[in-house]
Amino acid sequence: MNVLLTGGTGFIGQALSNYLSEHNYYVYILTRSPQKHTNTNGVTFIGYDHPAEQLPPMKAVINLAGESLFGYWTKTKKEAILTSRIQITEKIVTFIEKLPQLPEVFISGSAVGYYGTSNDLMFSENTTTPGEDFLAKVATKWENIAKQAEKSGIRIVFTRFGVVLGHGGALPMMRLPVQLGVGGKIGSGEQWISWVHIEDAVRLITFCMENTAISGAVNITAPHPKQNKVFMRTLAKVLKRPYWLPVPSLFMYAALGEMAELITKGQYVIPKKALDHSFSFSFPYLEEALRQLHHSFDE
């Protein structure tokens, strides 16, 4: 079976591509620079100008592309975060319409930032009112563009990612101060981190692809979020390093600009749809997830 994937050279996309290839899927990765990559027995890189009608039937189209959230959030950076997601998703919706055979499902990336931030509220896919901050507006617009594929009559899933823990993404940056012996809570430490192990993230994406009863928003998070102070203390325990030096919120805003809100604010998100459909998490608890990743960092 074939899958068309955007964002396949990124942190989550690479892990998903490898997982699908290992599970008898053939992956076509849609990228702006296919010539920079080498095809394998399970993966072919194609450009956005590749004739859609020349592709074989696709079981799914998965869209994970977009400007990285990491970096100082200038006005230009924020515009790139939004426009990259909108423009690429528009291209994918058009590309789908040109395929010789419609895929069974269109899975388009999103984020738990859709819900906005809160230290008190609990969010699930039943939460239909988005937040009002920048990331909530990005996620809302991103999903609305993807919804345009509904006119083709295919099933659509919006994967709302939490903090994905692995060798890429946020974890290496979170590990560094702890490894240096200056780990501690960030800001108040009360903010929730809705995290997920990279292995569970790619398994849950695949689960959504294969389970025809699933549509709409799906939270890609583990079932047990943790407050920042607990997360950092657990990380220090796993790394066998001290936990003592708090990092003021003002320092984070000085270093990262508005991006600091990703770290100093959060949301308690439950993967209700995954649990309702009996998805089995390999790493439902934070400490075991961090221990497995710690061992893999050392390998």
Side-chain angles (χ1 to χ4, degrees):
M1 289 182 286
N2 302 304
V3 173
L4 182 66
L5 173 65
T6 71
T9 59
F11 164 47
I12 299 173
Q14 282 186 327
L16 177 60
S17 177
N18 292 338
Y19 182 85
L20 292 173
S21 296
E22 293 167 0
H23 289 78
N24 300 317
Y25 285 96
Y26 195 94
V27 182
Y28 289 83
I29 295 180
L30 200 56
T31 174
R32 287 173 294 181
S33 305
Q35 69 280 2
K36 293 182 179 180
H37 306 282
T38 303
N39 297 337
T40 68
N41 290 333
V43 178
T44 293
F45 294 88
I46 61 175
Y48 282 88
D49 58 350
H50 188 93
E53 60 273 11
Q54 292 182 11
L55 290 172
M58 296 290 164
K59 178 179 179 64
V61 173
I62 303 175
N63 175 30
L64 301 179
E67 171 79 12
S68 172
L69 297 179
F70 296 106
Y72 195 97
W73 281 10
T74 60
K75 181 180 178 181
T76 301
K77 175 70 172 180
K78 290 172 67 175
E79 287 177 352
I81 288 171
L82 174 60
T83 58
S84 65
R85 284 160 174 76
I86 298 303
Q87 291 175 355
I88 291 173
T89 305
E90 287 176 338
K91 287 182 180 180
I92 296 303
V93 170
T94 300
F95 201 90
I96 289 173
E97 294 172 348
K98 294 179 180 178
L99 289 170
Q101 180 177 317
L102 288 176
E104 295 177 15
V105 60
F106 175 37
I107 298 177
S108 193
S110 187
V112 296
Y114 172 92
Y115 301 111
T117 61
S118 176
N119 288 343
D120 307 312
L121 300 176
M122 181 184 298
F123 302 104
S124 75
E125 294 91 345
N126 290 342
T127 305
T128 57
T129 303
E132 298 180 352
D133 59 19
F134 170 68
L135 281 183
K137 292 176 181 177
V138 169
T140 301
K141 292 179 180 179
W142 197 7
E143 292 184 14
N144 285 339
I145 296 297
K147 282 180 184 177
Q148 294 178 8
E150 284 182 333
K151 61 187 178 184
S152 299
I154 63 176
R155 179 167 61 96
I156 299 180
V157 175
F158 308 110
T159 46
R160 292 177 180 166
F161 291 96
V163 177
V164 182
L165 304 181
H167 288 215
L171 184 59
M173 292 187 293
M174 300 173 81
R175 280 169 51 95
L176 183 59
V178 178
Q179 288 177 311
L180 295 175
V182 290
K185 69 178 182 180
I186 298 174
S188 69
E190 301 296 317
Q191 66 273 30
W192 291 97
I193 299 178
S194 295
W195 61 274
V196 65
H197 190 291
I198 182 64
E199 180 181 314
D200 280 334
V202 299
R203 287 181 54 246
L204 185 46
I205 296 169
T206 307
F207 184 78
C208 291
M209 178 178 67
E210 296 175 341
N211 193 323
T212 59
I214 295 177
S215 63
V218 176
N219 293 330
I220 310 293
T221 61
H224 303 289
K226 293 295 181 184
Q227 288 177 300
N228 175 272
K229 60 185 179 183
V230 177
F231 188 104
M232 297 304 293
R233 185 183 297 116
T234 304
L235 182 56
K237 176 183 176 182
V238 169
L239 297 181
K240 298 181 179 179
R241 303 297 291 165
Y243 170 85
W244 65 281
L245 184 64
V247 179
S249 295
L250 286 176
F251 175 83
M252 299 304 299
Y253 277 93
L256 301 173
E258 195 177 337
M259 182 202 156
E261 292 188 4
L262 285 176
I263 302 168
T264 60
K265 298 181 180 180
Q267 54 280 112
Y268 189 108
V269 177
I270 295 297
K272 185 178 186 302
K273 197 166 288 186
L275 296 173
D276 286 349
H277 287 84
S278 301
F279 177 78
S280 178
F281 286 86
S282 297
F283 300 96
Y285 298 102
L286 179 64
E287 185 169 338
E288 63 183 9
L290 290 176
R291 288 195 182 282
Q292 189 278 332
L293 289 167
H294 175 52
H295 293 313
S296 68
F297 269 96
D298 293 338
E299 290 177 354

